[in-house]
Amino acid sequence: MQKQTFELDFGGKTLTAEFNDLTAHTNGSVMLRYGETVILVTAVMSARENHGVNYFPLSVEFEEKFYAAGAILGSRFQRREGRPSDEAVLSARVVDRTIRPLFDHHLRNEIQVVVTVLAVGEDDPDVLGVIGASLALSMSDIPWSGPVGAIRIGRRKATGELVVNPTYTERTEGLLDVEMLACGKDGSINMIETAANELPESEITTLLEKAVGYHQALEAFQKEIVAKIGKTKRPLPVREIPDGLLTLYANSFADRLPKTIFSQRAGKDHIYELKKEFLTAAKELELHETVAGDFFEEKIDEELHRGAVEEGVRADGRGMDAVRELYAQAGGISPVLHGSGIFYRGGTRIFTALTLGGPEAAQMIDTIESQDTKKRFMHHYNFPPFSVGETGRIVGFNRRMIGHGALAEKALTPVIPKQIAFPYTIRLVSETLSSNGSSSMGSVCASTLALMDGGVPITRPVAGIASGVMIRGEKYALLTDIQGPEDEFGDMDFKVAGTTKGVTAIQMDVKVSGIPISILAEALEKARAARLHILDTMVGAIAAPRATISPRAPEIVVVKILPEQIGLVIGSGGKTINSIKDDTGVEEITIEEDGTVFITGKNGSAGLAAERIGALTKVYEIGERVTATITRLTTFGAFAKLDAFNEGLIHISEIAPFRLETMNGILKEGEVVPVVVSKIEEGKIGLSIKKANPDFAKERGLTPPTK
């Protein structure tokens, strides 16, 4: 094997980039090692242009193999890897959103970047995926304007200490109050994924500034490698605009386009009606339709930028910081639903349904990153074609749906109550019924309304907003609540969700090489103002979570037992726990390793089962006063039943304050007497009547024996 190896100290660990001849037919490839995590990234570009498409044909795949975890995963009947996990899809999106802006989008050669996870240690391969894609593209002959840097930064709750590339353990055990994955180049940021525990905007900016320092080191490392082994880039195709197309636009559309764009109409249908007219005219002149379409969209882009930056105008006539008309509704759909919310922001309209289940309804996660773990809070997002006035197949879900659903879930997680306080599995499903800009942030708002309608005791409402920017030379204009054309032709999609207290989630992608941190800091403040405005509307619809959950939701009772009592509750072959289920009618009894028992039922059945388990596992303490039922008499005392599962012995010496010679006539079976627990030895309980009632002997007419 021929190979060259380069190393960099990256966040206190060694990042090793190995270039070898394993992938002989790729344009570029690299094997990256970081701790025990190893990935292979390849980049391939087709030899010919695909003239049949009117978009840049880039695809990014993130391949997770079970062997990477050193485990045989999958179902009992299928051990081969199936569709990508949600985690793999989200990682692929991170890589795609980082590298895509750095290509010339007039390219029509198909380009595919594949990240293959070869081994997983304690370090997440997604950051390595970005760095690996950057290296594979940079050293290849594929035209690309990288390299880029990528870093994940966390902050410890307890100390405020920053953690570079926190491990899986640090990220999953609740040790961090923020986790930011930021990518960029040349001091700017071009991709952000952030989960935060209501963090102030100023602290977000500080983390971005820290990230840039690591980016610069990574960029320098990659440039050194490219200087040594990089290939000469293929020339970009020469793009010529036919004179006839320029003349057609100048004579018939140059004046009409700005009037159409800035007609103060929402959406972009009217703009595309004009584009359709332009394409028809171009076709009549026998001009290439794809070239004409690209040219006209560039003119739309130019006009939107000119209007925003030079004249301070937007396509729908709003002010730069204005949020579109809002509407919020909590509930009112059907009593079958455990909770529901409807949220409007202009032409974006979302319906969210809440479903509550017991702990047994939690999702089991079995991926290379996490095996045999449970997920009790889920948010799923749907985007049917009718939401944008189109037709199409409605089957399953796609990467966009997974990404938007995960973003809303991330935004809401900090306010979800802990399981011990609210022991329900929580599922939210957001249906995008109409879309004109940032349906993911609309889903955050509708989901908050559904949670509050369902009586889930969230700590605070969460809202989200998407901001954009138009950059023209050295000038720029920030746009709050971007819609249609601004989303499609703007330079940034900056989604920020949070509460009145701070930020809970950020997602950003761009169409330019990067956004300066100074602009992002300003955008964060504008997003905060918009978020507070939206929260006012939401709180106007429902001020606080409802006091009770839906009567259609299951009831859950939590019982705590000692870990050593788990076997007692389950019984031999599950006999005891199944008997409790059958006798009480509960749906499910879930026992955690720490002895927490979750009982799910309806119509009071959970309470009955809790009483049974409480009695079964009752731990009596010395000195405790109880009543006991005599069950059996002996010459040395009486056995007495304390409850359905526990029995104790009343020794003859514990009945009277003097010595008794016989038990005859003193007690009888079935009699209920007061007792005090006098001793507990090896699970056996000793009971005392005389300590519970010193006058018991006198009341029974008992006298001391004569000498």
Side-chain angles (χ1 to χ4, degrees):
M1 176 188 288
Q2 297 178 2
K3 63 181 179 180
Q4 288 181 278
T5 301
F6 303 86
E7 292 184 348
L8 174 71
D9 185 339
F10 182 40
K13 293 183 180 180
T14 300
L15 174 68
T16 303
E18 179 182 305
F19 299 87
N20 54 45
D21 56 2
L22 273 172
T23 57
H25 299 292
T26 63
N27 295 77
S29 71
V30 62
M31 186 180 291
L32 283 185
R33 291 183 175 86
Y34 193 65
E36 294 184 343
T37 299
V38 185
I39 66 168
L40 173 69
V41 185
T42 59
V44 174
M45 177 168 145
S46 65
R48 296 190 180 91
E49 290 186 74
N50 186 347
H51 295 289
V53 299
N54 59 354
Y55 58 87
F56 168 49
L58 169 69
S59 64
V60 176
E61 306 298 331
F62 200 93
E63 296 288 302
E64 293 182 331
K65 306 298 184 181
F66 294 156
Y67 60 71
I72 300 176
L73 303 176
S75 71
R76 290 172 55 200
F77 305 102
Q78 177 64 41
R79 294 301 187 186
R80 188 179 181 88
E81 292 81 1
R83 70 172 184 82
S85 68
D86 286 1
E87 289 76 12
V89 169
L90 296 173
S91 296
R93 282 171 55 85
V94 164
V95 176
D96 188 305
R97 288 160 44 213
T98 302
I99 66 174
R100 186 177 290 273
L102 302 176
F103 285 98
D104 185 319
H105 279 234
H106 293 107
L107 270 174
R108 292 298 178 262
N109 299 73
E110 293 185 9
I111 296 174
Q112 185 174 54
V113 173
V114 179
V115 181
T116 303
V117 182
L118 301 179
V120 171
E122 62 178 5
D123 300 292
D124 198 318
D126 58 357
V127 171
L128 297 184
V130 176
I131 299 170
S134 176
L135 269 169
L137 289 166
S138 294
M139 60 82 63
S140 75
D141 61 347
I142 300 173
W144 188 66
S145 58
V148 295
I151 187 77
R152 175 177 276 110
I153 298 179
R155 192 178 72 176
R156 298 190 191 281
K157 290 180 183 177
T159 63
E161 174 192 2
L162 293 183
V163 184
V164 176
N165 292 330
T167 64
Y168 282 121
T169 300
E170 291 170 316
R171 293 165 58 194
T172 57
E173 293 190 354
L175 304 177
L176 308 176
D177 64 1
V178 62
E179 181 187 319
M180 173 185 287
L181 199 169
C183 306
K185 61 168 291 191
D186 300 333
S188 294
I189 304 292
N190 78 343
M191 200 292 302
I192 302 174
E193 279 287 347
T194 298
N197 190 15
E198 300 179 284
L199 209 65
E201 282 74 6
S202 60
E203 296 182 28
I204 296 290
T205 303
T206 299
L207 290 175
L208 289 171
E209 291 169 346
K210 295 284 186 184
V212 165
Y214 289 99
H215 293 170
Q216 291 169 342
L218 284 165
E219 290 173 73
F221 172 63
Q222 294 177 70
K223 287 175 181 177
E224 288 178 8
I225 294 173
V226 172
K228 292 180 180 179
I229 63 172
K231 301 175 184 177
T232 302
K233 296 294 184 186
R234 292 193 205 176
L236 287 168
V238 177
R239 183 169 174 267
E240 297 180 354
I241 306 298
D243 291 339
L245 203 59
L246 295 170
T247 302
L248 172 64
Y249 178 76
N251 292 342
S252 304
F253 294 89
D255 292 335
R256 295 174 61 193
L257 181 58
K259 292 176 183 178
T260 301
I261 289 175
F262 300 111
S263 59
Q264 300 189 12
R265 291 174 59 185
K268 54 191 177 184
D269 290 348
H270 55 300
I271 301 173
Y272 279 93
E273 283 297 322
L274 186 64
K275 177 185 176 182
K276 184 177 179 181
E277 187 179 333
F278 178 76
L279 293 178
T280 300
K283 187 175 182 180
E284 290 174 355
L285 295 174
E286 298 183 353
L287 297 170
H288 195 284
E289 184 176 353
T290 300
V291 174
D294 289 348
F295 172 78
F296 196 80
E297 295 216 350
E298 288 174 6
K299 293 301 179 182
I300 297 172
D301 186 281
E302 288 176 13
E303 281 300 320
L304 283 166
H305 279 72
R306 183 195 60 78
V309 176
E310 304 298 338
E311 299 181 15
V313 296
R314 300 176 68 171
D316 59 1
R318 278 182 294 143
M320 293 296 174
D321 298 333
V323 176
R324 289 171 290 171
E325 184 178 0
L326 303 172
Y327 172 76
Q329 175 184 315
I333 299 299
S334 169
V336 171
L337 303 180
H338 299 167
S340 64
I342 293 175
F343 180 77
Y344 285 29
R345 191 187 62 252
T348 296
R349 286 117 195 234
I350 311 292
F351 161 73
T352 299
L354 165 74
T355 308
L356 300 175
E360 71 283 352
Q363 181 183 2
M364 292 298 298
I365 305 295
D366 195 21
T367 65
I368 65 169
E369 296 94 349
S370 180
Q371 292 100 46
D372 297 326
T373 58
K374 293 181 179 179
K375 184 178 180 182
R376 63 174 284 262
F377 171 54
M378 298 160 276
H379 176 272
H380 297 141
Y381 165 97
N382 293 318
F383 192 88
F386 65 74
S387 66
V388 287
E390 297 177 357
T391 61
R393 296 181 65 195
I394 302 179
V395 287
F397 45 86
N398 55 33
R399 291 187 172 194
R400 183 178 183 275
M401 294 182 192
I402 292 172
H404 281 21
L407 174 59
E409 184 177 293
K410 187 185 301 181
L412 294 161
T413 295
V415 303
I416 297 296
K418 301 296 184 185
Q419 186 176 29
I420 196 65
F422 190 76
Y424 287 86
T425 295
I426 303 167
R427 184 187 184 221
L428 294 163
V429 179
S430 292
E431 304 284 357
T432 305
L433 304 182
S434 177
S435 179
N436 184 19
S438 191
S439 53
S440 63
M441 294 295 94
S443 296
V444 172
C445 300
S447 294
T448 295
L449 294 167
L451 287 165
M452 296 172 75
D453 177 54
V456 179
I458 60 174
T459 53
R460 270 172 292 277
V462 183
I465 192 71
S467 302
V469 69
M470 299 286 186
I471 300 174
R472 202 171 193 231
E474 298 298 317
K475 298 180 180 180
Y476 69 92
L478 283 167
L479 313 175
T480 296
D481 184 20
I482 54 176
Q483 59 101 22
E486 298 165 340
D487 189 7
E488 182 173 353
F489 296 99
D491 297 322
M492 174 180 76
D493 184 3
F494 189 51
K495 303 181 182 77
V496 183
T499 66
T500 54
K501 187 177 176 182
V503 173
T504 58
I506 299 174
Q507 185 180 93
M508 185 194 80
D509 44 63
V510 300
K511 297 186 181 72
V512 292
S513 62
I515 306 294
I517 292 177
S518 59
I519 294 179
L520 294 178
E522 187 180 346
L524 280 167
E525 286 304 315
K526 289 181 179 292
R528 186 180 74 87
R531 182 172 77 244
L532 296 179
H533 170 64
I534 294 169
L535 285 168
D536 284 343
T537 298
M538 293 166 58
V539 171
I542 180 167
R546 303 202 191 280
T548 59
I549 64 172
S550 166
R552 302 290 184 96
E555 57 188 20
I556 300 178
V557 176
V558 182
V559 175
K560 191 74 174 179
I561 64 174
L562 297 173
E564 55 265 29
Q565 294 176 322
I566 293 175
L568 174 66
V569 174
I570 295 174
S572 177
K575 182 177 180 180
T576 304
I577 197 169
N578 288 330
S579 174
I580 295 172
K581 288 181 183 179
D582 294 340
D583 294 346
T584 61
V586 295
E587 296 174 1
E588 192 63 50
I589 300 175
T590 303
I591 306 177
E592 303 290 341
E593 291 182 358
D594 65 352
T596 303
V597 183
F598 298 98
I599 307 167
T600 306
K602 289 185 177 180
N603 303 318
S605 61
L608 293 175
E611 291 177 6
R612 287 278 299 273
I613 293 173
L616 174 63
T617 58
K618 167 72 176 173
V619 177
Y620 289 91
E621 297 181 358
I622 294 175
E624 187 174 351
R625 299 177 64 90
V626 292
T627 57
T629 303
I630 306 300
T631 57
R632 183 161 54 96
L633 299 173
T634 69
T635 56
F636 53 84
F639 287 96
K641 186 178 181 181
L642 298 173
D643 54 47
F645 304 99
N646 291 282
E647 189 177 58
L649 172 65
I650 306 171
H651 193 267
I652 191 171
S653 63
E654 293 294 332
I655 296 174
F658 45 81
R659 186 172 183 275
L660 296 177
E661 298 292 339
T662 178
M663 287 292 297
N664 291 337
I666 297 176
L667 297 170
K668 60 182 179 180
E669 292 183 5
E671 182 180 0
V672 178
V673 294
V675 294
V676 167
V677 178
S678 57
K679 65 179 180 179
I680 301 175
E681 293 179 357
E682 297 180 353
K684 295 180 179 180
I685 301 173
L687 305 173
S688 174
I689 293 178
K690 66 183 182 183
K691 290 180 180 178
N693 182 6
D695 297 327
F696 182 82
K698 185 188 296 185
E699 292 170 0
R700 294 294 171 103
L702 302 176
T703 58
T706 57
K707 295 183 179 179

